[in-house]
């Protein structure tokens, strides 16, 4: 793991010591959250735990009507915001760890337990800076519900005014392909746009011996599955990296019966916002053209999801310097844009900011994937994330003072 920079400012020394002082508590919190995961918009226990801890540290906490909270500290000056997401996924926990999920079929398979615990640690350090008069402005914490459901809980926080007055915003997301002690950074887009698509076909079914006397819905459904991804790749700019991948294919219940209804569902992802703006109108037209020869009726439910997360240059430079202060020059590494969706993109549509990828893999250990029930993280990532977020926030305030 990278070593911290040897010459830290008084502020960063205080951040370092404050997070180290509560390091064991943060790991215990992360494991507790992992053992008690909550799905989107149901993060009530998680919200209550975080709220109690923040109030103890002097934060002004506003709990949201459903779940989640916003917290502020500092009286005047510019506002820098930090964000963590709270929700888990409807995925069974396969780790077998002592702190494995106690909720059947639900687990933190995307590392939001790490995000939440790291931001609690950053809050502890920032509150200590505030107590000593070393906070040159205001910090706002966004403990956001429902990142895992489109179009994401970020829009709700924005509607409630969580970004009002905010000058800059930072966040971290777990990356199990990076070793703990590394943070992946990238200027510009770091995630993709992501939408949900469901296509339901209906027609007059019949006997498989007489497809010419029916509307062969199953055949038409297969055409949608194979043709839509192919046609979109020719109708949208290939540089947009459009990707249609199906997760649901359902039709029929007997070998010799052509069904009268069927459904496919999946995601439409792309790398840029221009293609994203075009896809919503284009997809229904293409589906109609694909199924027209088979006489079936198509109902297209295209749910617009999230835009790409686009890191601005000044913010990613500032975040990189924070990583260097915590981990040394080798602590940050370049990372590629992914097609994964993140509703952090809604925030960065409105304010400048950056998201980095927080390494969670134990060096020499196995590489896991997000959204899988066997995901394991190296607990040291919690303290690292806390220090990086706190350092980025205080440096951003100092630069805008």
């Amino acid at each position: 793991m990278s070593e911290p920079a040897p010459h830290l400012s008084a502020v960063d020394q205080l951040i370092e010591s404050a997070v180290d002082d509560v390091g064991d508590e943060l790991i215990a919190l992360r494991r507790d959250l992992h053992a008690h995961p909550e799905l989107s918009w149901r993060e009530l226990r998680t919200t209550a735990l975080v709220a109690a801890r923040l109030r103890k540290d002097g934060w002004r906490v506003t709990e949201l009507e459903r779940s989640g909270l916003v917290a502020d500290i500092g009286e005047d000056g510019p506002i820098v915001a930090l964000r963590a997401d709270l929700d888990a996924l409807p995925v069974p926990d396969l780790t077998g760890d002592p702190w494995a999920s106690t909720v059947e079929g639900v687990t933190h398979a995307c590392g939001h337990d790490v995000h939440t615990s790291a931001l609690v640690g950053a809050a502890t350090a920032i509150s200590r800076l505030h107590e000593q008069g070393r906070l040159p402005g205001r910090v706002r914490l966004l403990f956001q519900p429902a990142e895992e459901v489109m179009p994401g809980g970020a829009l709700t926080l924005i509607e409630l005014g969580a970004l009002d007055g905010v000058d800059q915003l930072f966040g971290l997301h777990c990356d199990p392909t990076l070793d703990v002690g590394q943070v992946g950074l990238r200027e510009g887009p770091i995630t993709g746009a992501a939408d949900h698509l469901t296509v339901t076909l209906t027609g007059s079914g019949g006997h498989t011996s007489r497809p010419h006397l029916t509307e062969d819905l199953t055949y038409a459904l297969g055409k949608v599955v194979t043709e839509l991804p192919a046609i979109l790749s020719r109708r949208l700019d290939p540089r947009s990296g459009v990707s249609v991948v199906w997760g649901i294919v359902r039709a029929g219940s007997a070998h010799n019966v052509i069904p009268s209804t069927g459904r496919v569902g999946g995601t439409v992802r792309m790398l840029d916002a221009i293609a994203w703006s075009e896809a919503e109108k284009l997809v229904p037209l293409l589906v109609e053209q694909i199924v027209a020869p088979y006489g079936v009726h198509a109902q297209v439910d295209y749910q617009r999801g999230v835009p790409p997360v686009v890191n601005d240059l000044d913010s990613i430079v500032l975040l990189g310097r924070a990583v260097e202060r915590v981990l040394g020059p080798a602590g940050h590494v370049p990372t590629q844009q992914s097609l994964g969706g993140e509703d952090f993109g809604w925030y960065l549509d409105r304010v400048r900011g950056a998201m980095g990828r927080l390494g969670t893999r134990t060096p020499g250990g196995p590489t896991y994937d997000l959204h899988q029930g066997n995901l394991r993280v190296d607990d040291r990532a919690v303290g690292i994330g806390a220090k990086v977020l706190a350092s980025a926030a205080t440096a951003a305030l100092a630069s805008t003072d």
Side-chain angles (χ1 to χ4, degrees), residues 2 15 25 48 91 93 132 166 168 179 182 194 242 248 276 280 286-287 295 302 326 331 341 343 364:
S2 300
I15 290 171
E25 294 177 45
V91 173
D93 193 321
Q132 297 187 11
V166 170
Q168 210 163 3
D179 285 348
Q182 294 180 319
V242 64
I248 301 170
W276 186 55
E280 184 179 12
L286 296 180
V287 171
Y302 193 101
V326 174
D343 70 356

Side-chain angles (χ1 to χ4, degrees), residues 11-12 15 19 82 118 121-123 125-126 129 322 385-395:
V11 166
D12 281 295
I15 290 171
V19 174
L82 303 172
I126 291 166
L129 288 170
K387 293 173 185 178
V388 169
L389 289 171
S391 181
T394 53

Side-chain angles (χ1 to χ4, degrees), residues 102-123:
T102 60
V103 182
E104 185 175 355
V106 181
T107 192
H108 274 291
C110 200
H112 295 188
D113 50 344
V114 175
H115 305 166
T116 299
S117 305
L119 189 51
V120 168

